[in-house]
Amino acid sequence: MSARSNILNKLRTGLAGSIPRPDDFDERLVTEPWQYAPEDRITRLRNLMEAVHTEIHQVSSDNWPDKVAEILAARNLSNLLHAPATAHGQKLAEYWPKSGSSAQLLAYDRPVEEWKEELFWEVDASITGTVGAIAATGSLVLWPDRHEPRLMSLLPPLHIALLKASQIEDNLYAMMQRQNWSAGLPTNLLLVSGPSKTADIEQVLAYGAHGPKELVVLILEDV
Amino acid sequence: MSERIPVTELTDGFRDRAEVALADGQLRTNFRTAMDSLMKKRADAFPDEEEREGLRELGNRIKARALSRLPDLLEQLEAKLTDNGVKVHWAETTEQANEIVHGIIQARQGSQVVKGKSMVSEEMEMNDYLAERGVECLESDMGEYIVQLDGEKPSHIIMPAIHKNRSQVSKLFHDKLGVEETDDVNELIQIGRRTLRRKFMEADVGVSGVNFAIAETGTLLLVENEGNGRMSTTAPPVHIAVTGIEKVVENLRDVVPLLSLLTRSALGQPITTYVNMISGPRKADELDGPEEVHLVLLDNGRSGAFADAQMRQTLNCIRCGACMNHCPVYTRVGGHTYGEVYPGPIGKIITPHMVGLHQVPDHPSASSLCGACGDVCPVKIPIPELLQRLRQENVKSPAEGAKVKDGGAKYSRKERLVWRFWRTLNSSPVLYRLFLWGATRFRKLTPKNVGPWTENHTAPVPAKRSLHDLAREHLARNGGQ
Ligand code: SF4
């Protein structure tokens, strides 16, 4: 007999004669304590994310690329990875020559294998979209796809994320329901709540463990 | 500085190791400081008692519901994952699980593996298994990396290197990596980052654990702060996740309260930096992510615990580590003293099912039964009750039949006889009076040495007069009042 049937048989024997417990999930417990007035959502998100070293700017939906150029200039960075097939990627590419930025715009437009070394070591910063954020825990929701691959938000030392103010939800449960996650998820959905960190040595918090050392969120005021 | 005690070299039992650990001042300071801070962080993360208790109750019900349908949910999980393009494997033993993992690596002719934090891979001793077959398996969680570099095992399930302080890590990096010594923690972490980044890039296979496997959507959920979990599951061309069969939950929404309980109980964080939800390998038109994703479902004694309705509650565990942070025994002796993969209260109730009570006969009694572990457990596992049960199983006679793997490990005929004598004595008034009469008259003859008790206490001596005597006299004097 296979390991599979042995395990399942043992478990079924253990359950013989018992009835499955009912599903009495009480959603109030995960929603009621985590509700905010619309005007407080951004504040809550900011407070939580800033507490873990995230830099947050509220910018207008039109001229956010200005802010991106400014962020790169302040750090003297030489390139920025973007997703050319996304709406925000296109907007950025269109705007970039006008920005006067000396940083080179890189496109994530080929399989990782073709430029792994460069992606790992030579990209200074990246910019990605988000599908929203969660005020209760201060988390961005990233939904990588073929246009905006997973490694964009992981490899570069600086990750800039665009967040529409209108897409900030109260809590994870509300987010799941609103976007109907159970109907289908991407290959890798991510909640990101700050730059990479560790407290493995003496519980001293250090940022930039393996992922981005810095996370900058641009909240686009679209409401 | 006192000597570290790598678990691999420990052969003696819990008691001997505890003596060594208790005498190690540095170790005790490192643990004490860390645990005090973790306890405070957890308390701060749950400021509202009502909310906390409501959530624990919900967490308990979700896990109990999942366990009450476990075989069906495992099948559903397998079907969903398969639909999503993930290959599912089943293993009854750690040996089988290792063979599966090795087989997948061989098929890709891989020689380098990076591993995110995974307790199940510790159960499997996967690093050693693969090393013997010429595959390098590198730990990528900073804490795990540090202990691996020092040839040790983790001493805590959440903070594997908590037993070390910064100067110990600095010296280790200096000796093993040839870098300058520094007591700047940031600098130490950056040294680790640089070394491991190259490995993430070069690795053929990434291995990870799983915090929750969601049957409804066929999703593997992984929490972490460092990004090493994301690296291991995204950068190499193959991702192998290994998990115990108890990690499956029914619905996606079930993980909302469990996630909150886990991160708040473990480190006092509202959430971890990364929550990674993996539902499949790279799609044909995607530019990155692993080409293959595998899930290995491991039993390793879990179905044994499952078979017993009371012990089954052990499988509620979401591996938050809060029980060890709050345990007065763990706090003083540290994780290595337990000599097993899972230390502390959870280790004491899960390990016997994995390795058998005869391997860990002292574990069920290495507890003050103060109840702290049960009070903090986010999924309400009644740990003290289960410890008492294991103590009973531990002393069962072979004739009674073992209910837990290798039960009766501490059965002693002599002890049974003594207890039987004691029972007879206490249930017969004549004998009891005779005994009292003798014990008070011949009190001077009590032995000065009564085993372990007299190592730290003076020997007990019966009083001159028994309580019965004194009470009788008192009543006579006061006219029966
Ligand atoms: S037994 Fe409870 S407290 Fe201990 S690790 Fe498991 S879930 Fe956490």
Side-chain angles (χ1 to χ4, degrees), chain B residues 30-50:
Chain B
N30 294 357
F31 267 102
R32 189 62 204 234
T33 320
M35 298 305 120
D36 282 353
S37 135
L38 286 169
M39 283 197 270
K40 180 169 182 327
K41 284 186 189 161
R42 174 193 175 269
D44 292 348
F46 289 106
D48 181 347
E49 189 184 325
E50 205 179 314

Side-chain angles (χ1 to χ4, degrees), chain B residues 408-436:
Chain B
K410 281 198 139 183
Y411 171 74
S412 140
R413 271 181 70 81
K414 201 168 101 192
E415 201 173 289
R416 272 290 158 96
L417 282 174
V418 172
W419 280 114
R420 195 164 298 157
F421 169 69
W422 186 248
R423 190 176 63 200
T424 321
L425 190 69
N426 280 278
S427 45
S428 147
V430 178
L431 277 179
Y432 185 75
R433 262 182 236 120
L434 201 66
F435 169 75
L436 264 192

Side-chain angles (χ1 to χ4, degrees), chain B residues 157 316-324 346 373 376-379 381 383:
Chain B
I157 64 172
N316 280 355
C317 178
I318 56 173
R319 307 282 190 264
C320 71
C323 55
M324 50 195 80
I346 177 60
C373 49
V376 295
C377 178
V379 282
I381 302 177
I383 303 174

Side-chain angles (χ1 to χ4, degrees), chain B residues 282-320:
Chain B
R282 178 198 307 204
K283 288 189 184 143
D285 57 357
E286 286 181 341
L287 301 176
D288 64 18
E291 293 153 12
E292 289 174 39
V293 176
H294 298 261
L295 174 69
V296 181
L297 290 165
L298 175 66
D299 181 340
N300 192 26
R302 288 163 171 84
S303 56
F306 187 85
D308 183 301
Q310 189 188 22
M311 298 311 297
R312 187 178 302 159
Q313 298 175 91
T314 309
L315 303 179
N316 280 355
C317 178
I318 56 173
R319 307 282 190 264
C320 71

Side-chain angles (χ1 to χ4, degrees), chain A residues 53-204:
Chain A
H53 282 213
T54 308
E55 189 177 310
I56 298 188
H57 303 278
Q58 282 166 259
V59 292
S60 87
S61 309
D62 305 325
N63 63 359
W64 58 264
D66 265 341
K67 193 73 194 175
V68 176
E70 192 186 309
I71 290 165
L72 296 184
R75 290 165 175 78
N76 212 1
L77 300 179
S78 58
N79 59 42
L80 173 70
L81 183 66
H82 80 304
T86 57
H88 50 267
Q90 275 159 12
K91 178 161 182 157
L92 188 77
E94 207 175 285
Y95 172 88
W96 207 244
K98 289 180 253 163
S99 74
S101 171
S102 61
Q104 188 199 350
L105 212 53
L106 303 171
Y108 200 147
D109 55 3
R110 58 214 132 119
V112 54
E113 289 76 17
E114 289 175 25
W115 59 322
K116 209 170 187 180
E117 186 96 28
E118 187 182 345
L119 270 176
F120 262 80
W121 303 101
E122 282 156 38
V123 181
D124 291 340
S126 68
I127 181 161
T128 73
T130 61
V131 294
I134 296 159
T137 52
S139 316
L140 303 173
V141 183
L142 270 66
W143 193 285
D145 60 12
R146 67 200 166 94
H147 298 310
E148 203 159 68
R150 312 175 185 195
L151 289 170
M152 286 188 79
S153 58
L154 181 63
L155 290 180
L158 167 65
H159 172 211
I160 304 172
L162 299 171
L163 167 66
K164 290 183 182 153
S166 60
Q167 292 184 332
I168 305 175
E169 294 286 343
D170 282 342
N171 50 66
L172 176 57
Y173 187 81
M175 179 61 105
M176 276 181 183
Q177 298 300 317
R178 177 78 61 95
Q179 299 186 347
N180 197 14
W181 287 7
S182 53
L185 289 168
T187 50
N188 185 190
L189 176 83
L190 291 157
L191 307 185
V192 175
S193 311
S196 144
K197 66 174 187 286
T198 182
D200 270 353
I201 303 176
E202 280 189 25
Q203 287 203 295
V204 176

